[in-house]
RNA sequence: GCGUGAGUAGCUCAGCAGGAUAGAGCGUCCCUCUCCUAAAGGGAAGGUCGCGGGUUCGAAUCCCGCCUCGCGCACCA
């Protein structure tokens, strides 16, 4: 019996009590689903719920009176062994050992599908993340979104959604021109332009461009810069793709901003906007009346020099996504872009789109720390720590895990020295080790002749088994919540809880008998639980894009 | 100034869809491998949940105010 099943059964009991006239509750006050929690203290049973407390007010009854009515019905639920009323009106539920233990077999039989469901089936989601400018390698901030974004995509997919991972490639505009000028300056042995880029990678890209186009410096200024731009951006972008691939993140679509301008999408969009009445002409520029949609000021869409402002491309881009049939466009941005949310939604609304279809997830910054002091990362100064640097030092698994186990609302500080030195203490190893351990137990069980020919759930009666089963049972809900709240870190945190429960069980309960002890159904049944744990850990690590090694 | 995110153990952070005695990892101090992986487990120490009000049976969690820190507030992208 999983907490979900228990919750559903309690809900049903609640409705029966209402139908039977034992409780009088306004329809809108009946909780849609009853929250079932694992109590902190063992004495409080296997599961607890505070519905009775919540229903006290709407029913006009004392909390304990509500609890008593519900307790009588809950006790009849199949698999419930005992129901106690405690404190102000908590319902503490003890589940029948066999009912709880049945989960072990169910998980093994579900295999990689355990934790998946089809609650988001039919929804087409465009998830855009990273989208770093191709003017340099992906730095730590982008690395964070690569880890979190890809995990979120996996989590959505686990809920049955159809997800397109998309990278918006800003290959149009000033930044790119600066990048090209920086390459050209480097090729001529000049210092980087004032507003250009100066990292070591510039010289490296420059060399590669020269190798591809040896005659490039013979061209006139404008042509040379154009070739450096075209070839340089391609090289940079290839590097970015490779870094991402090595990071176990592969995008379905790399969308080029430039294409929106070349194929006339931006111009077409501007014409549509002008007709929509959401644009007005002022001071030589065309403004979007974004204040009508909650922005704090109106935004220029066509500059007085006649060029489209950046936002024009973004609105056209959203329109493009919409045309490709997505029901939901999620964009992940760093906190340094959060001021952009309102105008983006305003732009879409101006085109008649439902702003609810655009969701912008803002993630806080990642800072580089050295010797306890923050180090400013600057692309110009070349002091960036890149995705490649991080992976080289700690590996993909540790890098991805350590970036995705935090809430995106938190700023995170990365101290490369600490991360490297303490890599063995990274929680990822704790979780991976638990998985490897389940495999080791498997190997030993097989060698000793313990097989899965018997399963008697009632034998999983040790306190550590009850705890482990409970945490395994919570996994699907955790994944569903991670999808609902767009918070992949919930999965990582729960895996840590499962790993801890498993390690404690391992210490308390043997699968393979020692010495001359006979093999019994206890051993065989425990093997199922061991395998179930390995399966859940593997499923969870997969959602994070982290490997689940068989040996460590 | 306005907007926005954060402030919880020595450190890094969970918990924030209100619930019982506030958690984990790391660090510190004890203890546990002749027996399935000790990258583990058990125990100890460590807290005015930034501050002050409010809401209610109950607040780290919700509301208001204040303080501190990050980020943003272009006809740049």
């Amino acid at each position: 019996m999983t907490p979900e099943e228990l919750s559903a059964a309690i809900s049903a009991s609640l409705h029966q009590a209402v139908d039977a006239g034992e409780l009088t509750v306004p329809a809108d006050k009946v909780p849609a689903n009853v929250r079932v929690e694992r109590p902190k203290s063992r004495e409080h049973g296997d599961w607890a719920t505070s519905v009775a407390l919540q229903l006290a007010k709407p029913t006009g009854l004392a909390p304990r009176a509500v609890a008593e009515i519900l307790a009588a019905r809950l006790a009849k639920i199949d698999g419930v062994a005992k129901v106690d009323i405690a404190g102000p009106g908590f319902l503490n539920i003890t589940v029948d050992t066999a009912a709880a233990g049945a989960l072990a077999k169910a998980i093994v039989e579900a295999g990689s599908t355990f934790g998946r469901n089809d609650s988001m089936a039919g929804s087409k989601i465009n998830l855009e993340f990273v989208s770093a400018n191709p003017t340099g390698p992906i730095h730590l901030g982008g690395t964070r979104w690569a880890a979190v974004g890809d995990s979120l995509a996996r989590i959505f997919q686990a809920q049955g959604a159809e997800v397109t991972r998309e990278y918006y490639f800003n290959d149009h505009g000033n930044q790119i021109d600066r990048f090209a000028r920086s390459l050209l300056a480097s090729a001529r042995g000049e210092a980087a332009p004032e507003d250009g880029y100066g990292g070591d990678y510039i010289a490296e890209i420059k060399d590669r461009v020269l190798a591809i186009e040896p005659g490039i410096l013979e061209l006139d200024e404008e042509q040379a810069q154009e070739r450096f731009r075209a070839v340089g951006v391609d090289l940079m972008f290839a590097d970015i793709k490779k870094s991402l691939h090595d990071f176990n993140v592969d995008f379905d679509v790399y969308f080029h901003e430039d294409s929106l301008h070349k194929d006339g999408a931006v111009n077409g969009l501007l014409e549509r906007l002008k007709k929509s009445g959401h644009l007005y002409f002022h001071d030589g520029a065309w403004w979007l009346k974004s204040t009508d949609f909650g922005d704090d000021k109106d935004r220029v869409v066509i500059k007085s020099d006649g060029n489209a402002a950046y936002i024009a491309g973004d609105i056209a881009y959203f329109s493009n996504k919409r045309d490709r049939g997505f029901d939901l466009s999620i964009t992940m941005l760093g906190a340094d872009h959060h001021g952009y949310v309102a105008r983006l939604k305003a732009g879409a609304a101006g085109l008649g789109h439902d702003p609810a279809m655009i969701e912008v997830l803002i993630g806080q910054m990642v800072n580089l720390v050295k010797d306890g002091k923050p180090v400013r990362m600057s692309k110009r100064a070349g002091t960036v720590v890149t995705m490649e640097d991080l992976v080289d030092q700690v590996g993909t698994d540790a890098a991805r895990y350590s970036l995705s186990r935090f809430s995106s609302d938190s700023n995170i500080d990365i101290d490369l020295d600490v991360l490297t030195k303490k890599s063995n203490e990274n929680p990822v190893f704790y979780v991976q080790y638990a998985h490897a351990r389940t495999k080791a137990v498997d190997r030993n069980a097989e060698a000793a002749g313990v097989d899965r020919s018997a399963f008697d759930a009632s034998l999983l009666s040790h306190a550590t088994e009850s705890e482990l089963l409970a945490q395994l049972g919570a996994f699907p809900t955790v994944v569903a919540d991670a999808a609902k709240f767009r918070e992949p870190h919930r999965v990582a945190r729960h895996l840590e809880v499962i790993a801890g429960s498993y390690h404690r069980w391992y210490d308390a309960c043997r699968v393979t008998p020692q010495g001359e002890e006979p093999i019994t159904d206890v051993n065989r049944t425990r093997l199922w639980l061991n395998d179930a744990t390995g399966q859940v850990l593997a499923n969870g690590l997969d959602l994070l894009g982290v490997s689940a090694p068989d040996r460590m």
Side-chain angles (χ1 to χ4, degrees), chain A residues 346-474:
Chain A
L351 285 172
H353 297 311
D354 178 2
M357 284 180 34
I358 300 192
E359 200 174 305
V360 183
L361 304 179
I362 297 299
Q364 298 304 310
M365 314 302 282
V366 23
N367 306 304
L368 185 61
V369 173
K370 198 167 179 73
D371 303 325
K373 282 179 293 189
V375 179
R376 191 135 192 100
M377 277 192 281
S378 156
K379 219 180 251 187
R380 269 176 214 174
T383 56
V384 263
V385 171
T386 66
M387 175 181 274
E388 251 188 302
D389 295 336
L390 183 63
V391 170
D392 283 351
Q393 297 213 35
V394 305
T396 300
D397 282 348
R400 283 196 65 149
Y401 191 91
S402 55
L403 288 170
S404 50
R405 71 187 289 271
F406 297 115
S407 160
S408 293
D409 287 337
S410 298
N411 285 82
I412 52 181
D413 296 332
I414 295 254
D415 185 328
L416 273 189
D417 294 336
V418 172
L419 206 60
T420 311
K421 196 167 23 180
K422 296 192 174 176
S423 62
N424 279 348
E425 292 155 13
N426 190 310
V428 71
F429 297 107
Y430 184 75
V431 176
Q432 286 184 316
Y433 182 70
H435 178 268
R437 203 175 222 189
T438 65
K439 295 299 178 181
V441 168
D442 254 351
R443 291 189 292 268
N444 288 308
E446 191 185 352
V450 180
D451 58 28
R452 288 203 216 130
S453 60
F455 179 78
D456 178 352
S458 69
L459 298 173
L460 297 174
S461 56
H462 193 272
T464 59
E465 297 182 316
S466 153
E467 178 62 21
L468 178 55
L469 285 161
Q471 299 304 348
L472 294 176

Side-chain angles (χ1 to χ4, degrees), chain A residues 57-128:
Chain A
K57 186 160 285 176
T59 55
L61 297 172
R64 287 190 73 100
V66 179
E68 274 165 35
I69 291 166
L70 289 175
R73 289 186 174 272
L74 263 45
K76 292 179 198 154
I77 294 173
D78 214 24
V80 169
K82 190 163 66 113
V83 180
D84 293 317
I85 299 168
F90 290 103
L91 286 164
N92 291 334
I93 299 160
T94 303
V95 175
D96 180 68
T97 305
L103 178 66
K105 193 176 184 195
I107 290 173
V108 172
E109 284 166 352
S112 61
T113 66
F114 184 73
R116 309 182 79 89
N117 67 60
D118 56 3
S119 64
M120 290 174 82
S123 113
K124 271 189 80 176
I125 300 177
N126 182 286
L127 182 62
E128 183 207 331

Side-chain angles (χ1 to χ4, degrees), chain A residues 267 269-282 285-290 292-293 298-302 311 315 347 350:
Chain A
N267 284 333
L269 164 118
L270 294 175
E271 290 312 310
R272 271 168 68 200
L273 270 178
K274 280 182 192 172
K275 283 183 198 137
S276 75
H278 295 292
L279 281 199
Y280 63 93
F281 190 75
H282 176 70
W286 284 90
W287 297 71
L288 172 69
K289 228 169 169 318
S290 55
D292 283 355
F293 304 98
D298 289 345
R299 305 290 169 178
V300 168
V301 180
I302 306 174
I311 184 176
I315 298 171

Side-chain angles (χ1 to χ4, degrees), chain A residues 20 46 65 87 108 110 139 144-145 165 183 185 231 301-302 362 455 476-477 481-482 533 536 541 543 546 552:
Chain A
D46 294 322
V108 172
H139 57 272
R144 182 180 192 179
W145 310 130
R165 292 169 176 77
L183 290 174
V231 180
V301 180
I302 306 174
I362 297 299
F455 179 78
T477 308
D481 284 349
T533 307
V536 175
L541 285 169
L543 291 176
V546 173
M552 285 176 75

